[in-house]
Amino acid sequence: MAAQTATTEVLRALNALYQGTSAEEREQANSWLQQFQRTTEAWGTADAILGSDAGIEAKVFAAQTLRAKIMADFSELGAEGASSLRDALVEQLRTGAARPVVTQLVLGLADMAVQLEDWADPMSDVVTALGDTANGMSVVVEFVAVLPEEALNERIAMDNAAWSRRTEALLGQRGGDVAALLARCLGTAELREARARVLGCLASWVRHGDMTLAQVQGAGLAEQALAGLQGNADEAEAAADAVCALIWETRADNDDDAETAAVKDTLVQQLAQGLAASETQHAVAESESWRVLAEAGEAWVGRIVADAARFAGVVQGLVECMRHGEREAVAMTFTFWDELADRVLETASCDPARRALSGVYAGLVDAAAAQLRYPDDTMTAEERDIFREFRHGVGDVLKASVRVCGAGTALGRAYALAAQPDALWQDAEAALFAVRAMGAEIPPDEEEVMPQVMDLLPRLPPHPRLRYAATLVIARYTEWTRSHAQYVPFQLDFIAAGMSDADVAAASAQALKFLCMDCAPLLATHWRDLLHVFGAARDDDAVDVAVALAHVAAAAPDAAAAIEAFSVPLGSELGTLVQGALDNAACSRAALLLDRLGAFLRYIDAPDSAADLVARIVADAWPLAHALLHRVPADTHVSESASKFVRVLVEFYSSALRGVVPQVCDAVAVAFEQTGLDVYLWLARRIVAVAPSLAVDETAALQLAATLMDRLSAAALPRFEHSFSEAPDTTEEFFRLLQRALEQAPSIVAATPTFPAVFRAAIAALTVNSLHAQLAVLRAWVQMLAPARRHIRLRLDHTRASPDAYPLPTIVSLCAENGFELARALLLGLLGAFDREVSPEAADALASLAAVAADGPNVVSGQSDALPSSAICDWAAAILPDIPDSRMPPREKHLFASQLAELVQARMWPRLKTMLLDTAAACWRRSRALEL
């Protein structure tokens, strides 16, 4: 494509991208531009566009393209081309350009400086070329600022040795020069508008460790950064970044020498005084000052405890932030208050700092309660979720307050707020939330305030929010109630009344569950009353109430009667439904009954006197669940509830179920064969996981599990015929089941008729485009191949024998037949197609495949002394050409093949996995660099 033609085509595509009238047109343009960026023509075309009178969008694209090419394809330029491009970029910056273009050009020039080793002193050269004007000096500062960041840019394709040399040449021993440059810029009136950029540069060099605190102090930059907090919004933000970077570097370190410690102490004193004096700072900078105070608190927490008076201004500023700050600012202080509490509690109880900070935490309760207050305005659902999460963070601060100032003091302040006679409901509710949040730190024997709190609850105004909050207070303090039995009748009545209130019912069910869990002996004689509560419970709350009843029934003096009174009506109603017409309403009701009975059986810890009764209940319940699975396996409600119910039976009542385990497995297989619902694969996995306990003979139980796996495989594989990506959930559940089956019974599963087909399908499944499904497939591969690698090692090590139970010949044979396809799917996925999060599993599977291919056939045939086969190397040689050079250049492909051969011959499988991960990371960085 001729240069002029290429430029015209790019401009036409950009016009379609930004001005196109249809989504398809814009998508096509975007795809074409991305492909063009990967060509060698992109260098000259981008340079030509920058030198033309094209619009801002075109020039931004050109600058982005040059930067992307510099990061990913710098080697295409050669020494002469690189020098020429460097000079062109500097000239573009000297003549001036729009701000977005300048930003991309500066980043590209910095990326070039990182890689171009022939460029001896980029910083000085840029200062010389551009520093003779105010605008030019602003660009210089931007270039200097991004150098430390781009030196760590993982998208730059560069080997570690070259990177180490270059970063030392660029950044080593340059902190003093940069500090002097920044001080000069901050003192120049013509650069007043660039102060934010200068302070950002300071933050970058300090944060990356390329400028020492002594250099900062010597240039007077700390004062300038503190002063910047009172500037306009942009300057204040940059100043806050700089001050935070300085504060972070002042953290005490046991390895500090005397000189460094002295510099830190001096700078800490200077910063602390500056922050304490910032209470009168400009309102624009208020949020930035909160951020700086939070950073100071975290960094200086040890110093604060050692000398509370010296840092009183910082601590008080953080209290004010808690009291008056916006939620985002308040959230930044959470870590500080928790860490400070930990440090305070390490001091002696008579320590002056502990006494002083105890008072701070006591006052913090009031400030925190103010932040817990519901806003007067209505909130959207998203805002409610954010507020709920924020409240839990404030709750952690309240827990810290209890730890420092004591349960009585902290609770007393929260109680006083809740008990105010004329308080608005928002204030009382916030105080009750505070009481609940403190619960984890309140001892069960607290006698000073908690009785007052419990006495207050029934006297609260009848507002639904207050009733809800009060109910959750009861739920949180059930362990305290266990030691104060006199409150049980009141709490039970309070909860029961709330069950009929739609606004409070969910909280009431939760409170009842926790009350019955922690106070079952105290409620043992109330189980008949609880049956009435259960009958009145809403469908959504019935499961929580069933859990509550399970705990009380087990503790009842007549446990068998209590268990029977709850379970028999459920079983009877369920039996009636099963015998009738199962329309939608009947199915929904049956599912609800199964949920209730399942929850009861899950949590009942029946005494020996009721064990036979529970066994009969289980025996009677299975046929009902079986009938539902047989009649309506495709019903959404029944399939979910029946599967959860059967899971309870097999996991908690395996001995009672042993006589019908074959029937259970058959029912699950038939249900999946008829419906293909994922939930049956989930249930099968739970059955397989506990298979050894489902029969007296473990081998027979594992055979049942393998047979179930075989039947499900035969039913599942045709469903994947078109594409695994069309059924990602089913793919995930199937391969999670396969992984578990291979863990439990590898030899039996490998001997099933469908296993070869499953093996081949697992190769095709590597194309699935869902993260969780990819992870499930790869973990199944690891489970198939990693044990084979270990058993091969045992055979190669003649001092140990490999267990005969492992199906090594089967795995080796299948790998020999399908190894190339598997290696291709794993290697192409690892180097591009897979989600980056699954790289460790993919590398593990590929390294294990290499081990099996290298030694498996020899070991199986008894030739353990033979040299490793080069099969994996031959496969890789055929696969590597299919990887685009833009992702993996020819030089790297050659290096990869060479390293692979060395590691295979040395049988260094862990190192091979590391090499695969490193190669994948390099390809990922190169791909990211080329993104539009």
Side-chain angles (χ1 to χ4, degrees):
M1 189 185 297
Q4 184 59 44
T5 303
T7 302
T8 302
E9 290 295 322
V10 169
L11 293 176
R12 182 180 295 116
L14 286 168
N15 184 67
L17 178 66
Y18 293 112
Q19 308 296 330
T21 57
S22 69
E24 181 180 1
E25 181 183 8
R26 293 192 295 272
E27 179 59 33
Q28 288 177 350
N30 184 56
S31 177
W32 187 89
L33 289 168
Q34 287 180 333
Q35 292 300 319
F36 180 78
Q37 282 186 312
R38 292 172 165 81
T39 67
T40 56
E41 292 177 284
W43 293 106
T45 302
D47 187 42
I49 291 174
L50 285 172
S52 71
D53 58 356
I56 181 66
E57 292 92 350
K59 291 194 173 184
V60 169
F61 170 79
Q64 288 175 332
T65 298
L66 284 178
R67 188 201 174 200
K69 296 288 287 181
I70 289 169
M71 286 191 291
D73 301 319
F74 189 66
S75 59
E76 291 179 357
L77 289 173
E80 184 177 348
S83 297
S84 177
L85 180 60
R86 175 197 62 194
D87 296 341
L89 293 179
V90 171
E91 181 61 21
Q92 285 287 342
L93 291 170
R94 191 185 65 80
T95 56
R99 170 49 50 191
V101 177
V102 168
T103 297
Q104 292 300 318
L105 293 177
V106 165
L107 289 169
L109 190 61
D111 293 332
M112 180 175 286
V114 172
Q115 299 178 80
L116 186 55
E117 295 194 66
D118 292 340
W119 193 1
D121 192 353
M123 198 180 305
S124 296
D125 290 348
V126 172
V127 171
T128 301
L130 304 176
D132 54 350
T133 66
N135 288 337
M137 184 55 74
S138 178
V139 174
V140 168
V141 170
E142 189 170 356
F143 173 76
V144 174
V146 300
L147 269 181
E149 298 168 5
E150 294 308 298
L152 298 177
N153 186 347
E154 64 176 9
R155 290 187 292 173
I156 294 177
M158 194 174 188
D159 65 69
N160 290 336
W163 173 82
S164 297
R165 291 193 305 271
R166 196 57 185 156
T167 52
E168 177 60 27
L170 282 176
L171 307 175
Q173 309 302 317
R174 300 305 300 267
D177 297 336
V178 174
L181 173 67
L182 299 182
R184 187 165 67 250
C185 291
L186 290 169
T188 302
E190 291 81 0
L191 289 173
R192 177 68 192 177
E193 296 301 319
R195 284 181 63 86
R197 196 163 293 122
V198 176
L199 291 169
C201 183
L202 170 61
S204 176
W205 276 72
V206 172
R207 185 168 56 247
H208 289 89
D210 299 310
M211 184 184 296
T212 68
L213 295 181
Q215 291 165 342
V216 171
Q217 199 170 28
L221 294 175
E223 297 93 324
Q224 295 280 7
L226 286 167
L229 291 173
Q230 301 186 38
N232 60 37
D234 290 339
E235 183 179 346
E237 182 178 2
D241 288 340
V243 175
C244 285
L246 291 172
I247 288 170
W248 184 253
E249 292 300 318
T250 61
R251 292 169 301 153
D253 191 325
N254 292 332
D255 295 330
D256 288 341
D257 56 33
E259 182 179 354
T260 302
V263 171
K264 286 186 177 181
D265 287 340
T266 302
L267 193 54
V268 165
Q269 184 67 25
Q270 180 183 2
L271 293 171
Q273 290 175 350
L275 295 177
S278 67
E279 295 181 11
T280 59
Q281 42 73 41
H282 196 274
V284 171
E286 183 178 76
S287 61
E288 301 301 340
S289 290
W290 297 141
R291 176 159 69 96
V292 172
L293 283 169
E295 187 74 31
E298 289 186 44
W300 301 340
V301 64
R303 298 176 188 268
I304 291 171
V305 174
D307 191 353
R310 181 184 176 192
F311 295 94
V314 173
V315 174
Q316 189 56 42
L318 288 166
V319 173
E320 290 304 308
C321 178
M322 177 65 74
R323 182 174 286 113
H324 300 298
E326 296 292 330
R327 288 177 198 154
E328 184 177 355
V330 170
M332 287 188 277
T333 70
F334 291 162
T335 300
F336 164 71
W337 293 117
D338 188 57
E339 291 183 355
L340 181 62
D342 289 339
R343 292 294 189 92
V344 168
L345 293 175
E346 293 173 0
T347 65
S349 59
C350 59
D351 188 284
R354 182 165 185 170
R355 291 198 298 270
L357 292 171
S358 293
V360 169
Y361 275 97
L364 194 61
V365 173
D366 296 343
Q371 288 291 343
L372 293 170
R373 190 182 189 275
Y374 264 94
D376 295 328
D377 299 331
T378 57
M379 294 185 289
T380 65
E382 182 180 1
E383 289 171 338
R384 281 196 300 272
D385 290 340
I386 294 172
F387 182 57
R388 187 179 299 114
E389 183 177 354
F390 170 76
R391 283 183 129 200
H392 288 300
V394 177
D396 291 337
V397 174
L398 290 166
K399 293 183 184 73
S401 298
V402 176
R403 289 158 54 205
V404 175
C405 68
T409 300
L411 263 180
R413 296 185 83 111
Y415 166 75
L417 294 172
Q420 290 179 357
D422 298 324
L424 297 174
W425 75 262
Q426 291 97 331
D427 297 317
E429 191 277 340
L432 290 174
F433 185 96
V435 170
R436 176 161 68 98
M438 297 177 188
E441 301 294 335
I442 305 300
D445 59 354
E446 205 286 325
E447 302 286 353
E448 181 182 353
V449 182
M450 277 310 302
Q452 299 179 64
V453 171
M454 290 299 172
D455 292 339
L456 172 67
L457 298 184
R459 303 199 308 267
L460 290 169
H463 191 285
R465 289 281 189 185
L466 290 179
R467 182 87 184 194
Y468 186 90
T471 303
L472 290 181
V473 168
I474 292 174
R476 186 63 190 83
Y477 284 90
T478 51
E479 291 185 16
W480 180 89
T481 301
R482 185 168 56 203
S483 302
H484 300 79
Q486 67 271 29
Y487 289 100
V488 167
F490 140 68
Q491 292 184 4
L492 191 56
D493 291 343
F494 192 90
I495 292 169
M499 295 293 294
S500 59
D501 185 337
D503 293 324
V504 189
S508 298
Q510 184 180 4
L512 183 63
K513 179 175 69 173
F514 289 125
L515 184 66
C516 292
M517 287 173 61
D518 291 328
C519 304
L522 304 179
L523 292 164
T525 58
H526 294 270
W527 65 264
R528 289 183 175 82
D529 297 329
L530 291 176
L531 280 177
H532 294 298
V533 175
F534 177 74
R538 302 182 312 164
D539 290 349
D540 292 343
D541 306 318
V543 171
D544 277 343
V545 180
V547 174
L549 277 167
H551 291 283
V552 174
D558 47 348
I563 294 170
E564 189 171 21
F566 174 79
S567 59
V568 169
L570 291 178
S572 298
E573 184 180 354
L574 189 59
T576 301
L577 286 171
V578 167
Q579 293 173 5
L582 288 172
D583 55 15
N584 288 339
C587 286
S588 296
R589 181 62 183 173
L592 180 63
L593 294 171
L594 283 174
D595 289 340
R596 293 178 178 183
L597 185 57
F600 184 81
L601 291 173
R602 164 68 178 82
Y603 289 98
I604 187 73
D605 185 12
D608 293 342
S609 59
D612 291 341
L613 171 64
V614 173
R616 288 198 304 273
I617 293 171
V618 169
D620 293 340
W622 160 243
L624 302 177
H626 186 195
L628 288 169
L629 289 173
H630 175 70
R631 292 186 58 188
V632 284
D635 182 84
T636 304
H637 301 292
V638 167
S639 61
E640 294 285 341
S641 297
S643 294
K644 289 188 291 185
F645 182 76
V646 174
R647 174 242 172 167
V648 169
L649 299 187
V650 298
E651 290 188 357
F652 296 94
Y653 298 96
S654 56
S655 58
L657 210 64
R658 283 175 179 169
V660 294
V661 168
Q663 191 181 58
V664 173
C665 293
D666 179 71
V668 175
V670 169
F672 181 75
E673 290 165 352
Q674 293 178 350
T675 67
L677 292 178
D678 308 334
V679 69
Y680 296 121
L681 296 176
W682 170 85
L683 176 56
R685 175 161 54 86
R686 307 308 290 248
I687 293 172
V688 169
V690 297
S693 66
L694 294 176
V696 177
D697 183 353
E698 181 175 329
T699 301
L702 293 176
Q703 184 63 58
L704 280 173
T707 301
L708 175 60
M709 180 73 230
D710 186 53
R711 288 186 61 180
L712 293 174
S713 298
L717 293 184
R719 299 179 183 275
F720 299 133
E721 184 175 354
H722 297 293
S723 170
F724 285 91
S725 294
E726 292 179 3
D729 294 338
T730 305
T731 300
E732 178 186 354
E733 287 297 345
F734 178 78
F735 284 98
R736 291 182 71 186
L737 168 62
L738 176 61
Q739 177 191 359
R740 184 53 58 90
L742 289 168
E743 288 176 358
Q744 290 283 31
S747 291
I748 302 176
V749 170
T752 58
T754 59
F755 187 71
V758 170
F759 190 97
R760 291 187 291 272
I763 299 174
L766 290 168
T767 61
V768 69
N769 57 13
S770 162
L771 168 61
H772 296 295
Q774 271 183 17
L775 194 58
V777 175
L778 285 166
R779 285 176 174 170
W781 273 117
V782 171
Q783 188 59 45
M784 276 191 277
L785 299 175
R789 184 176 86 188
R790 291 194 295 271
H791 282 275
I792 289 171
R793 172 59 66 183
L794 290 174
R795 299 278 185 92
L796 293 173
D797 185 352
H798 298 293
T799 62
R800 292 176 291 175
S802 172
D804 294 332
Y806 187 76
L808 186 59
T810 301
I811 299 298
V812 169
S813 174
L814 288 170
C815 286
E817 295 172 13
N818 306 278
F820 175 74
E821 291 80 7
L822 177 55
R824 178 182 177 82
L826 288 172
L827 187 57
L828 293 180
L830 183 64
L831 300 186
F834 291 156
D835 191 287
R836 197 182 185 200
E837 290 187 31
V838 306
S839 295
E841 286 78 9
D844 196 355
L846 188 51
S848 296
L849 173 63
V852 174
D855 290 312
N858 291 331
V859 165
V860 170
S861 62
Q863 303 176 44
S864 299
D865 295 329
L867 293 174
S869 166
S870 61
I872 189 70
C873 300
D874 298 336
W875 296 338
I879 297 166
L880 287 172
D882 294 336
I883 301 173
D885 290 347
S886 60
R887 181 177 293 275
M888 193 177 189
R891 178 176 58 84
E892 292 195 16
K893 291 178 182 178
H894 177 75
L895 178 62
F896 177 88
S898 175
Q899 291 177 334
L900 177 64
E902 290 179 12
L903 295 172
V904 168
Q905 289 304 309
R907 296 188 175 102
M908 293 182 176
W909 312 123
R911 285 187 58 185
L912 174 57
K913 178 181 176 181
T914 301
M915 187 269 281
L916 291 170
L917 289 172
D918 290 343
T919 304
C923 290
W924 180 85
R925 288 195 296 268
R926 189 171 290 104
S927 178
R928 284 287 307 276
L930 289 172
E931 290 178 359
L932 183 60

